[in-house]
Amino acid sequence: NELMASENPGEEIILADSLIRLNENLIYDTLLMRTLLHNTGLQIASKNQDISELDYKIIESRAYPYLTMSTGYGYTYSGYGTGDLQNQQVHGMNYGLTLGMDLFDGFNRRREKSNARIEIENREIQYRQVEQSVKADLMTIYYAYENNLNRLRLEEQNLEVARENLEIAVERYKLGDLAGLELREVQKSLLDAEERLISVKYQVKLAEISLLQISGSIMDYL
């Protein structure tokens, strides 16, 4: 506490757990379903499809008859300073309806509809491209996740063997049956095994986070 300049030297300090907590139960089919529903790239591509279809409907609606309504209120005051005429006030509401239809616009609407159809098709192609790309990325990351899990189990076994070897080496050293240099080699083997295990855990965690991110489930991690 003193070294950290704590205001309360007697305050109990609880260290955060630095262990790498892994989720070894991620299932590909579940991740794929979540990806198709919640992936950000797919959602954007889907919204673009909706927008292009709405644009087409707007253009198409211009061929329909239209009805407009207008209303207004008028007030007029006329004041006469001389003569026999009295001041006059005129007020009242007026309204009207207009029914119309565009008969010919120089083929502009036909051209706009054609362009809008092409845009819808392009958005559909873009969505499929994004979908295939996302699926490929998901599969690649999941394979890396599975491979690293297999490596993790192997390194856990190697670590257990290294610990047993160290116990045996220490006993032999106590009995004078093992030189100090050989004992240090066994100790180094244990440290190497621990380092490899931490490295593999890190790789598993990276793959796990990437899977949650691509499937739109990153909040499960946070």
Side-chain angles (χ1 to χ4, degrees):
N1 287 348
E2 182 178 353
L3 291 175
M4 292 186 295
S6 174
E7 295 181 358
N8 182 7
E11 180 183 3
E12 181 181 1
I13 297 177
I14 301 176
L15 298 178
D17 190 355
S18 60
L19 296 177
I20 302 176
R21 300 184 180 277
L22 304 176
N23 183 355
E24 302 181 25
N25 301 312
L26 295 178
I27 301 173
Y28 178 79
D29 290 339
T30 302
L31 290 169
L32 177 59
M33 180 182 65
R34 290 183 178 180
T35 298
L36 296 178
L37 289 175
H38 304 299
N39 178 264
T40 303
L42 285 175
Q43 288 183 337
I44 293 174
S46 178
K47 291 297 183 183
N48 288 336
Q49 280 185 299
D50 295 339
I51 292 173
S52 62
E53 291 173 359
L54 288 174
D55 288 341
Y56 180 83
K57 290 180 180 179
I58 291 173
I59 295 171
E60 196 175 39
S61 67
R62 296 174 188 168
Y64 304 146
Y66 59 86
L67 178 66
T68 60
M69 179 178 180
S70 61
T71 61
Y73 185 86
Y75 174 79
T76 303
Y77 174 81
S78 300
Y80 303 96
T82 60
D84 296 332
L85 295 176
Q86 298 180 351
N87 297 338
Q88 293 184 348
Q89 299 183 62
V90 179
H91 56 84
M93 177 176 289
N94 58 79
Y95 55 88
L97 295 174
T98 302
L99 178 64
M101 182 176 182
D102 293 332
L103 298 178
F104 181 72
D105 63 351
F107 302 108
N108 289 330
R109 186 167 58 249
R110 180 184 298 178
R111 183 175 61 255
E112 290 176 352
K113 287 179 65 175
S114 177
N115 292 337
R117 288 195 194 97
I118 294 174
E119 182 66 16
I120 291 175
E121 294 173 359
N122 289 338
R123 293 300 186 183
E124 175 69 21
I125 293 173
Q126 290 175 5
Y127 180 87
R128 296 305 173 194
Q129 290 175 339
V130 173
E131 184 181 47
Q132 292 301 320
S133 177
V134 168
K135 285 182 177 180
D137 290 343
L138 176 66
M139 184 173 294
T140 299
I141 298 171
Y142 192 79
Y143 282 158
Y145 170 76
E146 281 193 322
N147 290 335
N148 284 319
L149 281 179
N150 292 332
R151 288 179 56 201
L152 175 66
R153 298 182 183 101
L154 179 61
E155 292 299 341
E156 287 175 340
Q157 295 175 3
N158 291 338
L159 179 60
E160 186 63 28
V161 171
R163 286 172 175 167
E164 292 176 357
N165 288 340
L166 180 60
E167 291 178 2
I168 295 172
V170 169
E171 292 299 324
R172 290 181 59 191
Y173 179 76
K174 290 179 179 179
L175 296 174
D177 190 36
L178 188 69
L181 182 60
E182 292 175 312
L183 177 61
R184 284 194 292 272
E185 287 296 327
V186 177
Q187 290 173 330
K188 184 178 183 303
S189 296
L190 176 59
L191 292 176
D192 291 342
E194 291 175 341
E195 183 177 349
R196 289 195 305 270
L197 180 61
I198 293 174
S199 177
V200 173
K201 283 185 175 182
Y202 179 73
Q203 295 300 322
V204 172
K205 195 63 182 180
L206 285 180
E208 175 191 330
I209 294 174
S210 297
L211 287 172
L212 294 177
Q213 182 178 15
I214 197 173
S215 63
S217 307
I218 192 63
M219 295 305 296
D220 294 347
Y221 173 72
L222 300 177

